[in-house]
Amino acid sequence: MENKAFTVSLTKNPLITMKVIPGHFTTSHFHISHYLDVSDLKTNALIAKDVARELAMPYLASILVDTIVCMEGMEVIGAYMAEELLQEGISVINSGSEIHVVTPMSNVNGNLIFQSNIQELILNRNIILLVASISSGRTISSALECLSYYGGELAGISALFNAYPDKSGKEIYSMFTNEDIPGYQIFSPGECSMCKEGRKLDAIITSEGYTEI
Ligand SMILES: [Zn+2]
């Protein structure tokens, strides 16, 4: 599986590289044709800073940001993104103000919640929702539901990778899309063409990585 891996780089900044492994993968909700390894983008401080610079760009000139809500381990990038947005001379609108970087928790029912002391950073605040990868749209749907429940105003959605057609009416800013990965496909488990061909699953994907079966 690993030996079929390839990398996709950002044309503007070749340091920003995503490792892609083709295969037959399952998550808890769908089957998918490629595993995207974005862990280095999220955890390597130097690279995360470059990523943050790219992701901050659409907001610099005219979008007011109060809070960055991080999902899927995006906190390091979120912090650098806030720094970028607050820099004097770069951001026209956010410099000199405050930006908070927060992460929701899951409650026992798996719903996303904010604890009482964090809720004031959401209510009537302009929020960037920052996620690693958007494939089926499940993660952003539940995050958007959570933000709306706590009264947040969505300023934009930013992601490392997006394969989801825009249905929310909000633009999704992403560095990579499914068009960067030839043959990228996502299926409901009952409709997976790889399953129909009798192909065994290679691995299970979770937010922390993958486990070969
Ligand atoms: Zn399948």
Side-chain angles (χ1 to χ4, degrees), residues 24 31 192 195:
H24 183 194
H31 286 194
C192 175
C195 284

Side-chain angles (χ1 to χ4, degrees), residues 7-29:
T7 58
V8 178
S9 302
L10 198 67
T11 321
K12 276 195 287 178
N13 182 349
L15 270 183
I16 300 178
T17 294
M18 177 170 71
K19 185 174 162 193
V20 181
I21 304 175
H24 183 194
F25 299 96
T26 182
T27 72
S28 48
H29 301 292

Side-chain angles (χ1 to χ4, degrees), residues 54-88:
E54 292 296 327
L55 291 179
M57 233 168 257
Y59 304 96
L60 285 175
S62 59
I63 300 178
L64 187 69
V65 178
D66 298 308
T67 304
I68 300 176
V69 172
C70 300
M71 308 282 297
E72 305 173 325
M74 292 290 282
E75 287 82 357
V76 176
I77 293 174
Y80 281 130
M81 210 171 154
E83 184 185 65
E84 197 67 24
L85 290 170
L86 292 169
Q87 260 188 56
E88 286 189 28

Side-chain angles (χ1 to χ4, degrees), residues 24-26 31-32 187-189 191-196 199 201:
H24 183 194
F25 299 96
T26 182
H31 286 194
I32 196 159
F187 305 98
S188 305
E191 291 160 8
C192 175
S193 66
M194 292 178 280
C195 284
K196 284 178 187 162
R199 209 172 134 186
L201 282 165

Side-chain angles (χ1 to χ4, degrees), residues 1 3 6 11 13 41-42 56 59 67 77 82 85 109 111-112 115 117 136 158 162 178 187 197:
M1 203 172 71
N3 57 12
F6 59 95
T11 321
N13 182 349
L41 299 179
K42 292 195 286 193
Y59 304 96
T67 304
I77 293 174
L85 290 170
N109 301 316
N111 297 319
L112 295 172
Q115 289 191 308
N117 54 320
S136 70
S158 292
N162 178 28
N178 47 323
F187 305 98
E197 288 166 11

